[in-house]
Coordinates of all heavy atoms in Angstrom, one line a residue:
D136 N 32.7 26.6 -10.4 CA 31.6 25.7 -10.1 C 31.0 25.2 -11.4 O 30.7 26.0 -12.3 CB 30.5 26.6 -9.4 CG 29.3 25.8 -9.0 OD1 28.6 25.3 -9.9 OD2 29.0 25.8 -7.8
P137 N 30.8 23.9 -11.5 CA 30.3 23.3 -12.8 C 28.9 23.8 -13.2 O 28.6 24.0 -14.4 CB 30.3 21.8 -12.5 CG 31.2 21.6 -11.3 CD 31.2 22.9 -10.6
L138 N 28.0 24.0 -12.2 CA 26.7 24.5 -12.5 C 26.7 25.9 -13.1 O 26.0 26.2 -14.1 CB 25.8 24.5 -11.3 CG 25.5 23.1 -10.7 CD1 24.8 23.3 -9.3 CD2 24.7 22.3 -11.6
Q139 N 27.6 26.7 -12.5 CA 27.7 28.1 -13.0 C 28.2 28.1 -14.4 O 27.8 28.9 -15.3 CB 28.5 28.9 -12.1 CG 27.9 29.2 -10.8 CD 28.7 30.0 -9.8 OE1 29.8 30.5 -10.2 NE2 28.3 30.1 -8.6
K140 N 29.2 27.2 -14.7 CA 29.8 27.2 -16.1 C 28.7 26.8 -17.1 O 28.7 27.3 -18.2 CB 30.9 26.2 -16.1 CG 32.2 26.7 -15.4 CD 33.3 25.7 -15.5 CE 34.5 26.3 -14.8 NZ 35.7 25.5 -14.8
V141 N 27.8 25.9 -16.8 CA 26.7 25.5 -17.7 C 25.8 26.7 -17.9 O 25.5 27.0 -19.1 CB 25.9 24.3 -17.1 CG1 24.7 24.0 -18.0 CG2 26.8 23.0 -17.1
V142 N 25.5 27.4 -16.9 CA 24.6 28.5 -17.0 C 25.2 29.6 -17.8 O 24.6 30.3 -18.6 CB 24.1 29.1 -15.6 CG1 23.4 30.4 -15.7 CG2 23.3 28.0 -14.9
E143 N 26.5 29.8 -17.7 CA 27.2 30.9 -18.4 C 27.4 30.6 -19.9 O 27.7 31.5 -20.7 CB 28.6 31.2 -17.7 CG 28.4 31.9 -16.4 CD 29.6 32.2 -15.7 OE1 30.6 31.4 -15.8 OE2 29.7 33.2 -14.9
D144 N 27.3 29.3 -20.3 CA 27.4 29.0 -21.7 C 26.3 29.7 -22.5 O 25.2 29.8 -22.0 CB 27.3 27.5 -21.8 CG 27.5 27.0 -23.2 OD1 26.6 27.1 -24.1 OD2 28.7 26.6 -23.5
S145 N 26.6 30.2 -23.6 CA 25.7 31.0 -24.4 C 24.5 30.2 -24.8 O 23.4 30.7 -25.0 CB 26.4 31.6 -25.7 OG 26.9 30.5 -26.5
A146 N 24.6 28.9 -25.0 CA 23.5 28.1 -25.4 C 22.4 27.9 -24.3 O 21.3 27.6 -24.5 CB 24.0 26.7 -25.9
F147 N 22.8 28.1 -23.0 CA 21.9 27.9 -21.9 C 20.7 28.8 -21.9 O 19.7 28.4 -21.5 CB 22.7 28.0 -20.6 CG 21.9 27.6 -19.4 CD1 21.6 26.3 -19.1 CD2 21.3 28.6 -18.6 CE1 20.9 25.9 -18.0 CE2 20.5 28.2 -17.5 CZ 20.3 26.8 -17.2
A148 N 20.9 30.0 -22.5 CA 19.8 31.0 -22.6 C 18.7 30.4 -23.5 O 17.5 30.8 -23.3 CB 20.3 32.3 -23.1
G149 N 19.0 29.4 -24.3 CA 18.0 28.8 -25.2 C 17.4 27.5 -24.6 O 16.5 26.9 -25.2
A150 N 17.8 27.2 -23.4 CA 17.3 25.9 -22.8 C 15.9 26.2 -22.3 O 15.5 27.3 -22.0 CB 18.2 25.5 -21.6
P151 N 15.1 25.1 -22.1 CA 13.7 25.3 -21.6 C 13.7 25.9 -20.2 O 14.7 25.7 -19.4 CB 13.2 23.9 -21.5 CG 14.0 23.1 -22.4 CD 15.4 23.7 -22.4
F152 N 12.7 26.7 -19.9 CA 12.6 27.4 -18.6 C 12.7 26.5 -17.4 O 13.3 26.8 -16.4 CB 11.3 28.2 -18.6 CG 11.2 29.1 -17.4 CD1 11.9 30.3 -17.3 CD2 10.3 28.8 -16.3 CE1 11.8 31.1 -16.2 CE2 10.2 29.6 -15.2 CZ 11.0 30.7 -15.1
E153 N 12.1 25.3 -17.5 CA 12.2 24.4 -16.4 C 13.6 23.9 -16.1 O 14.0 23.8 -15.0 CB 11.3 23.1 -16.8 CG 9.8 23.4 -16.9 CD 9.5 24.0 -18.3 OE1 10.2 23.9 -19.2 OE2 8.4 24.7 -18.3
V154 N 14.4 23.7 -17.2 CA 15.8 23.4 -17.0 C 16.6 24.5 -16.4 O 17.3 24.3 -15.4 CB 16.4 23.0 -18.4 CG1 17.9 22.8 -18.2 CG2 15.8 21.7 -18.9
Q155 N 16.3 25.7 -16.9 CA 17.0 26.9 -16.3 C 16.7 27.0 -14.8 O 17.5 27.3 -14.0 CB 16.6 28.2 -17.1 CG 17.1 28.2 -18.5 CD 16.5 29.4 -19.3 OE1 15.5 30.0 -18.8 NE2 17.1 29.7 -20.4
G156 N 15.4 26.9 -14.5 CA 14.9 27.0 -13.1 C 15.6 26.0 -12.2 O 16.0 26.3 -11.1
A157 N 15.7 24.8 -12.7 CA 16.4 23.7 -11.9 C 17.8 24.0 -11.6 O 18.3 23.9 -10.5 CB 16.3 22.4 -12.6
F158 N 18.5 24.6 -12.6 CA 19.9 25.0 -12.4 C 20.0 26.1 -11.4 O 20.9 26.1 -10.5 CB 20.6 25.4 -13.7 CG 21.2 24.2 -14.4 CD1 20.5 23.4 -15.2 CD2 22.6 24.0 -14.3 CE1 21.0 22.3 -15.9 CE2 23.2 22.9 -14.9 CZ 22.4 22.0 -15.7
F159 N 19.2 27.1 -11.5 CA 19.2 28.3 -10.6 C 18.9 27.8 -9.1 O 19.5 28.3 -8.2 CB 18.4 29.4 -11.0 CG 19.1 30.3 -12.0 CD1 19.1 30.0 -13.3 CD2 19.8 31.4 -11.5 CE1 19.8 30.8 -14.2 CE2 20.4 32.2 -12.4 CZ 20.5 32.0 -13.8
R160 N 17.9 26.9 -9.0 CA 17.6 26.4 -7.6 C 18.8 25.7 -7.0 O 19.1 25.9 -5.9 CB 16.4 25.5 -7.7 CG 15.1 26.3 -7.8 CD 13.9 25.3 -7.6 NE 13.8 24.3 -8.6 CZ 13.3 24.4 -9.8 NH1 12.9 25.6 -10.2 NH2 13.3 23.4 -10.7
A161 N 19.5 24.9 -7.9 CA 20.6 24.1 -7.4 C 21.8 25.1 -7.0 O 22.4 24.9 -6.0 CB 21.1 23.1 -8.4
I162 N 22.0 26.1 -7.8 CA 23.1 27.1 -7.5 C 22.7 27.8 -6.2 O 23.6 28.0 -5.4 CB 23.2 28.1 -8.7 CG1 23.9 27.3 -9.9 CG2 24.1 29.3 -8.3 CD1 23.8 28.1 -11.2
R163 N 21.5 28.2 -6.1 CA 21.1 28.9 -4.9 C 21.3 28.1 -3.6 O 21.8 28.5 -2.6 CB 19.6 29.3 -5.0 CG 19.1 30.0 -3.7 CD 17.6 30.4 -3.8 NE 16.7 29.4 -4.3 CZ 16.1 28.5 -3.6 NH1 16.3 28.4 -2.3 NH2 15.3 27.7 -4.2
K164 N 20.8 26.8 -3.7 CA 20.9 25.9 -2.5 C 22.3 25.5 -2.2 O 22.7 25.4 -1.0 CB 20.0 24.7 -2.7 CG 18.6 25.0 -2.7 CD 17.7 23.8 -2.9 CE 16.2 24.2 -2.9 NZ 15.4 23.1 -3.0
L165 N 23.1 25.2 -3.2 CA 24.5 24.8 -3.0 C 25.5 25.9 -2.8 O 26.4 25.8 -2.0 CB 25.0 23.9 -4.2 CG 24.2 22.6 -4.4 CD1 24.7 22.0 -5.7 CD2 24.4 21.7 -3.3
G166 N 25.3 27.0 -3.4 CA 26.2 28.1 -3.4 C 25.9 29.1 -2.3 O 26.8 29.8 -1.7
S167 N 24.6 29.3 -2.0 CA 24.2 30.3 -1.0 C 24.9 31.7 -1.2 O 24.9 32.2 -2.3 CB 24.4 29.8 0.4 OG 23.7 30.6 1.3
L168 N 25.5 32.2 -0.2 CA 26.2 33.5 -0.3 C 27.3 33.6 -1.3 O 27.5 34.6 -1.9 CB 26.7 33.9 1.1 CG 25.6 34.2 2.1 CD1 26.2 34.6 3.5 CD2 24.7 35.3 1.7
A169 N 28.0 32.5 -1.5 CA 29.0 32.5 -2.5 C 28.5 32.6 -3.9 O 29.2 33.0 -4.8 CB 29.8 31.2 -2.4
A170 N 27.2 32.4 -4.1 CA 26.6 32.5 -5.5 C 26.1 33.9 -5.8 O 25.8 34.2 -6.9 CB 25.4 31.5 -5.6
V171 N 26.2 34.8 -4.8 CA 25.6 36.1 -5.0 C 26.3 36.9 -6.2 O 25.6 37.4 -7.0 CB 25.7 36.9 -3.7 CG1 25.4 38.4 -4.0 CG2 24.7 36.4 -2.7
P172 N 27.7 36.9 -6.3 CA 28.3 37.6 -7.4 C 27.9 37.0 -8.8 O 27.6 37.8 -9.7 CB 29.8 37.5 -7.2 CG 29.9 37.2 -5.7 CD 28.7 36.4 -5.3
F173 N 27.8 35.7 -8.8 CA 27.4 35.0 -10.1 C 26.0 35.4 -10.4 O 25.7 35.8 -11.6 CB 27.5 33.5 -9.9 CG 26.8 32.8 -11.0 CD1 27.4 32.6 -12.2 CD2 25.5 32.2 -10.8 CE1 26.7 31.9 -13.2 CE2 24.8 31.6 -11.8 CZ 25.4 31.4 -13.0
L174 N 25.0 35.4 -9.4 CA 23.7 35.8 -9.7 C 23.5 37.2 -10.1 O 22.7 37.5 -11.0 CB 22.8 35.5 -8.5 CG 22.7 34.0 -8.1 CD1 22.1 33.8 -6.7 CD2 21.9 33.2 -9.2
K175 N 24.3 38.1 -9.5 CA 24.3 39.5 -9.9 C 24.7 39.7 -11.4 O 24.2 40.5 -12.1 CB 25.1 40.3 -9.0 CG 24.4 40.5 -7.7 CD 25.3 41.4 -6.8 CE 24.5 41.7 -5.4 NZ 25.3 42.6 -4.6
R176 N 25.7 38.9 -11.8 CA 26.1 38.9 -13.2 C 25.0 38.5 -14.2 O 24.9 39.0 -15.3 CB 27.4 38.1 -13.4 CG 28.7 38.7 -13.0 CD 29.9 38.0 -13.5 NE 29.9 36.5 -13.4 CZ 30.3 35.9 -12.3 NH1 30.8 36.5 -11.2 NH2 30.3 34.6 -12.3
Q177 N 24.3 37.5 -13.7 CA 23.2 37.0 -14.6 C 22.1 38.0 -14.8 O 21.4 38.0 -15.8 CB 22.6 35.7 -14.0 CG 23.6 34.6 -14.0 CD 24.4 34.4 -15.3 OE1 23.8 34.2 -16.3 NE2 25.7 34.4 -15.2
I178 N 21.9 38.9 -13.8 CA 20.9 39.9 -13.9 C 21.1 40.9 -15.1 O 20.2 41.4 -15.7 CB 20.7 40.7 -12.6 CG1 20.1 39.7 -11.6 CG2 19.8 41.9 -12.7 CD1 20.0 40.3 -10.2
T179 N 22.4 41.1 -15.4 CA 22.8 42.0 -16.5 C 23.1 41.3 -17.8 O 23.5 41.9 -18.8 CB 24.0 42.9 -16.1 OG1 25.1 42.0 -15.8 CG2 23.7 43.7 -14.8
R180 N 22.9 40.0 -17.8 CA 23.2 39.2 -19.0 C 22.4 39.6 -20.2 O 21.2 39.8 -20.1 CB 23.1 37.7 -18.7 CG 23.5 36.8 -19.8 CD 23.5 35.4 -19.2 NE 23.8 34.5 -20.3 CZ 24.0 33.2 -20.1 NH1 23.9 32.7 -18.9 NH2 24.2 32.4 -21.1
T181 N 23.0 39.6 -21.4 CA 22.2 39.9 -22.6 C 22.6 38.8 -23.7 O 23.7 38.2 -23.6 CB 22.5 41.3 -23.2 OG1 23.9 41.4 -23.4 CG2 22.0 42.3 -22.2
S182 N 21.8 38.7 -24.7 CA 22.1 37.8 -25.8 C 21.2 38.2 -27.0 O 20.0 38.4 -26.9 CB 21.7 36.3 -25.4 OG 21.8 35.5 -26.6
W183 N 21.9 38.3 -28.2 CA 21.2 38.6 -29.4 C 20.4 37.4 -29.9 O 19.4 37.5 -30.5 CB 22.2 39.0 -30.5 CG 22.7 40.4 -30.2 CD1 23.9 40.7 -29.7 CD2 22.1 41.7 -30.5 NE1 24.1 42.1 -29.6 CE2 23.0 42.7 -30.1 CE3 20.9 42.0 -31.1 CZ2 22.7 44.0 -30.2 CZ3 20.6 43.3 -31.2 CH2 21.4 44.3 -30.8
L184 N 21.0 36.2 -29.6 CA 20.4 35.0 -30.1 C 19.2 34.5 -29.3 O 18.2 33.9 -29.8 CB 21.4 33.8 -30.2 CG 22.6 34.0 -31.1 CD1 23.6 32.9 -31.0 CD2 22.0 34.1 -32.6
H185 N 19.2 34.8 -28.0 CA 18.2 34.3 -27.1 C 17.7 35.4 -26.1 O 17.9 35.3 -24.9 CB 18.7 33.1 -26.2 CG 19.2 32.0 -27.1 ND1 18.4 31.1 -27.8 CD2 20.5 31.5 -27.3 CE1 19.1 30.2 -28.4 NE2 20.4 30.5 -28.1
P186 N 17.2 36.5 -26.6 CA 16.8 37.6 -25.8 C 15.7 37.2 -24.7 O 15.8 37.6 -23.6 CB 16.2 38.7 -26.7 CG 15.9 38.0 -28.0 CD 16.8 36.8 -28.0
R187 N 14.8 36.3 -25.1 CA 13.7 35.9 -24.2 C 14.4 35.0 -23.1 O 14.0 35.0 -21.9 CB 12.6 35.1 -24.9 CG 11.6 34.5 -24.0 CD 10.7 35.6 -23.4 NE 9.7 34.9 -22.5 CZ 9.4 35.4 -21.4 NH1 9.9 36.4 -20.9 NH2 8.5 34.7 -20.7
G188 N 15.3 34.1 -23.5 CA 16.0 33.3 -22.6 C 16.8 34.1 -21.6 O 16.8 33.7 -20.4
C189 N 17.4 35.2 -22.0 CA 18.1 36.0 -21.0 C 17.2 36.7 -20.1 O 17.5 36.9 -18.9 CB 19.0 37.0 -21.8 SG 20.5 36.3 -22.4
E190 N 16.0 37.0 -20.5 CA 15.0 37.6 -19.6 C 14.6 36.6 -18.6 O 14.5 36.9 -17.4 CB 13.7 38.0 -20.4 CG 12.7 38.7 -19.6 CD 13.2 39.9 -18.8 OE1 14.0 40.7 -19.3 OE2 12.7 40.1 -17.6
N191 N 14.5 35.3 -19.0 CA 14.2 34.3 -18.0 C 15.3 34.1 -17.0 O 15.1 34.0 -15.8 CB 14.0 32.9 -18.7 CG 12.7 32.9 -19.5 OD1 11.8 33.6 -19.3 ND2 12.7 31.9 -20.5
L192 N 16.6 34.2 -17.5 CA 17.7 34.1 -16.6 C 17.8 35.2 -15.6 O 18.1 35.0 -14.4 CB 19.0 34.0 -17.4 CG 19.2 32.9 -18.4 CD1 20.5 33.0 -19.1 CD2 19.1 31.6 -17.6
R193 N 17.5 36.4 -16.1 CA 17.4 37.6 -15.2 C 16.4 37.4 -14.1 O 16.6 37.6 -12.9 CB 17.1 38.9 -15.9 CG 18.3 39.4 -16.7 CD 18.1 40.8 -17.2 NE 17.2 40.8 -18.3 CZ 17.5 40.6 -19.6 NH1 18.8 40.3 -19.9 NH2 16.6 40.6 -20.5
Q194 N 15.2 36.9 -14.5 CA 14.1 36.7 -13.5 C 14.5 35.6 -12.5 O 14.3 35.8 -11.3 CB 12.9 36.2 -14.2 CG 11.7 35.9 -13.3 CD 10.6 35.2 -14.1 OE1 10.5 35.2 -15.3 NE2 9.6 34.7 -13.4
L195 N 15.1 34.5 -12.9 CA 15.5 33.4 -12.0 C 16.6 33.9 -11.1 O 16.6 33.6 -9.9 CB 16.0 32.2 -12.9 CG 14.9 31.5 -13.6 CD1 15.4 30.5 -14.6 CD2 14.0 30.7 -12.6
A196 N 17.6 34.7 -11.6 CA 18.6 35.2 -10.8 C 18.1 36.2 -9.7 O 18.5 36.1 -8.5 CB 19.7 35.9 -11.6
E197 N 17.1 37.0 -10.1 CA 16.5 38.0 -9.1 C 15.8 37.2 -8.0 O 15.9 37.5 -6.8 CB 15.6 38.9 -9.8 CG 16.3 40.0 -10.6 CD 15.4 40.8 -11.5 OE1 14.2 40.5 -11.6 OE2 15.9 41.8 -12.1
E198 N 15.1 36.1 -8.4 CA 14.4 35.3 -7.4 C 15.3 34.6 -6.5 O 15.1 34.5 -5.3 CB 13.5 34.3 -8.2 CG 12.3 34.9 -8.9 CD 11.5 33.9 -9.7 OE1 11.9 32.7 -9.7 OE2 10.6 34.3 -10.4
A199 N 16.4 34.1 -7.1 CA 17.4 33.4 -6.2 C 18.0 34.3 -5.2 O 18.2 34.0 -4.1 CB 18.5 32.7 -7.1
L200 N 18.4 35.5 -5.7 CA 19.0 36.5 -4.8 C 18.0 36.9 -3.7 O 18.4 37.0 -2.5 CB 19.4 37.8 -5.6 CG 20.7 37.7 -6.4 CD1 20.8 38.9 -7.3 CD2 21.9 37.5 -5.4
A201 N 16.7 37.1 -4.0 CA 15.7 37.4 -3.0 C 15.6 36.3 -2.0 O 15.5 36.6 -0.8 CB 14.4 37.7 -3.7
R202 N 15.6 35.1 -2.4 CA 15.5 33.9 -1.5 C 16.8 33.8 -0.6 O 16.6 33.6 0.6 CB 15.3 32.6 -2.2 CG 13.9 32.5 -2.7 CD 13.8 31.2 -3.5 NE 12.4 31.0 -3.8 CZ 11.6 30.1 -3.2 NH1 12.1 29.3 -2.3 NH2 10.4 29.9 -3.6
I203 N 17.9 34.1 -1.1 CA 19.2 34.1 -0.3 C 19.1 35.2 0.7 O 19.4 34.9 1.9 CB 20.4 34.2 -1.2 CG1 20.6 32.9 -2.0 CG2 21.6 34.5 -0.4 CD1 21.7 33.0 -3.1
K204 N 18.6 36.3 0.3 CA 18.5 37.4 1.3 C 17.5 37.1 2.4 O 17.8 37.3 3.6 CB 18.1 38.7 0.6 CG 18.0 39.9 1.5 CD 17.7 41.2 0.7 CE 17.8 42.3 1.7 NZ 16.7 43.0 2.0
R205 N 16.4 36.6 2.0 CA 15.4 36.2 3.0 C 15.9 35.2 4.0 O 15.7 35.2 5.2 CB 14.1 35.7 2.4 CG 13.2 36.8 1.9 CD 11.8 36.3 1.6 NE 11.7 35.2 0.7 CZ 11.6 35.3 -0.6 NH1 11.5 36.4 -1.2 NH2 11.6 34.2 -1.4
R206 N 16.6 34.2 3.4 CA 17.2 33.1 4.2 C 18.2 33.7 5.2 O 18.2 33.3 6.4 CB 17.8 32.0 3.4 CG 18.2 30.8 4.2 CD 18.6 29.7 3.3 NE 19.6 30.1 2.4 CZ 19.8 29.5 1.2 NH1 19.0 28.5 0.8 NH2 20.8 29.9 0.4
G207 N 19.0 34.6 4.7 CA 20.0 35.3 5.6 C 19.4 36.1 6.7 O 19.8 36.0 7.8
D208 N 18.3 36.8 6.3 CA 17.6 37.5 7.4 C 17.0 36.6 8.4 O 17.0 36.9 9.6 CB 16.4 38.4 6.7 CG 17.0 39.5 5.9 OD1 18.2 39.8 6.0 OD2 16.2 40.1 5.1
T209 N 16.4 35.5 8.0 CA 15.9 34.5 8.9 C 16.9 33.9 9.8 O 16.7 33.8 11.0 CB 15.2 33.4 8.1 OG1 14.1 33.9 7.3 CG2 14.5 32.4 9.1
R210 N 18.1 33.6 9.2 CA 19.2 33.0 10.0 C 19.6 34.1 11.1 O 19.9 33.7 12.2 CB 20.3 32.6 9.2 CG 20.1 31.4 8.4 CD 21.3 31.0 7.5 NE 21.0 29.9 6.7 CZ 21.7 29.5 5.7 NH1 22.8 30.2 5.3 NH2 21.4 28.4 5.0
R211 N 19.7 35.3 10.7 CA 20.2 36.4 11.6 C 19.2 36.5 12.7 O 19.6 36.6 13.9 CB 20.4 37.7 10.8 CG 21.0 38.7 11.7 CD 21.3 40.0 11.0 NE 20.1 40.7 10.6 CZ 19.8 40.9 9.3 NH1 20.6 40.5 8.3 NH2 18.7 41.5 8.9
R212 N 17.9 36.5 12.4 CA 16.9 36.7 13.5 C 16.9 35.5 14.4 O 16.8 35.6 15.7 CB 15.5 36.8 12.9 CG 15.2 38.1 12.3 CD 13.7 38.3 12.0 NE 13.2 37.3 11.1 CZ 13.2 37.5 9.8 NH1 13.6 38.6 9.2 NH2 12.7 36.6 9.0
I213 N 17.2 34.3 13.9 CA 17.2 33.1 14.8 C 18.5 33.2 15.7 O 18.4 33.0 16.9 CB 17.3 31.8 14.0 CG1 16.0 31.5 13.3 CG2 17.7 30.6 14.8 CD1 16.0 30.5 12.2
L214 N 19.6 33.6 15.1 CA 20.8 33.8 16.0 C 20.6 34.9 17.0 O 21.0 34.7 18.2 CB 22.0 34.2 15.1 CG 22.6 33.0 14.2 CD1 23.6 33.6 13.3 CD2 23.2 32.0 15.1
E215 N 20.0 36.0 16.6 CA 19.8 37.1 17.6 C 18.8 36.7 18.7 O 19.0 37.0 19.8 CB 19.2 38.3 16.9 CG 20.2 39.0 16.0 CD 19.6 40.1 15.1 OE1 18.4 40.2 15.1 OE2 20.4 40.8 14.4
S216 N 17.8 35.9 18.4 CA 16.8 35.5 19.4 C 17.4 34.4 20.3 O 17.1 34.4 21.5 CB 15.5 34.9 18.8 OG 15.8 33.8 18.1
S217 N 18.4 33.6 19.8 CA 19.0 32.6 20.7 C 20.0 33.2 21.6 O 20.3 32.7 22.7 CB 19.6 31.5 19.8 OG 20.7 32.0 19.1
V218 N 20.6 34.4 21.3 CA 21.5 35.1 22.1 C 20.9 35.8 23.2 O 21.4 35.9 24.3 CB 22.4 36.0 21.3 CG1 23.3 36.9 22.1 CG2 23.2 35.2 20.2
S219 N 19.7 36.3 23.0 CA 18.9 37.1 24.0 C 18.5 36.3 25.2 O 18.3 35.2 25.2 CB 17.7 37.7 23.3 OG 18.1 38.5 22.2

């Protein structure tokens, strides 16, 4: 995935928070469940050059995972209610 490759580049941790957020929102919306392994990797990411940037990446990844989980729970409830 091209978006994931950009985020995984070591320089991305030094990008402005707004740019990082836009990439994570796009990955979450486009990748959904397929993005989960990638997002989990970002939670453990470290960098000597951009420690604050990696903290931002961890935060954004955690938020994206939480939203994917909530969306999945909502979809499951909708499916269950339509079957009943």
Side-chain angles (χ1 to χ4, degrees):
D136 180 300
L138 293 173
Q139 292 179 8
K140 287 182 182 180
V141 171
V142 171
E143 287 178 329
D144 186 278
S145 60
F147 188 76
F152 185 74
E153 296 78 22
V154 172
Q155 293 173 343
F158 271 83
F159 274 86
R160 282 188 300 279
I162 289 168
R163 175 179 49 85
K164 289 179 179 181
L165 297 173
S167 193
L168 292 177
V171 169
F173 167 79
L174 293 168
K175 286 183 176 181
R176 282 195 311 273
Q177 297 311 304
I178 291 172
T179 61
R180 185 171 174 174
T181 60
S182 170
W183 288 98
L184 295 175
H185 304 287
R187 175 71 180 139
C189 281
E190 182 58 37
N191 291 341
L192 298 178
R193 282 191 289 278
Q194 176 187 353
L195 291 165
E197 288 170 352
E198 289 172 5
L200 283 170
R202 285 180 172 251
I203 288 170
K204 182 175 187 244
R205 279 196 307 269
R206 188 172 55 208
D208 289 346
T209 302
R210 286 180 183 165
R211 187 176 65 244
R212 282 193 302 270
I213 291 168
L214 287 173
E215 288 171 354
S216 67
S217 66
V218 172
S219 302

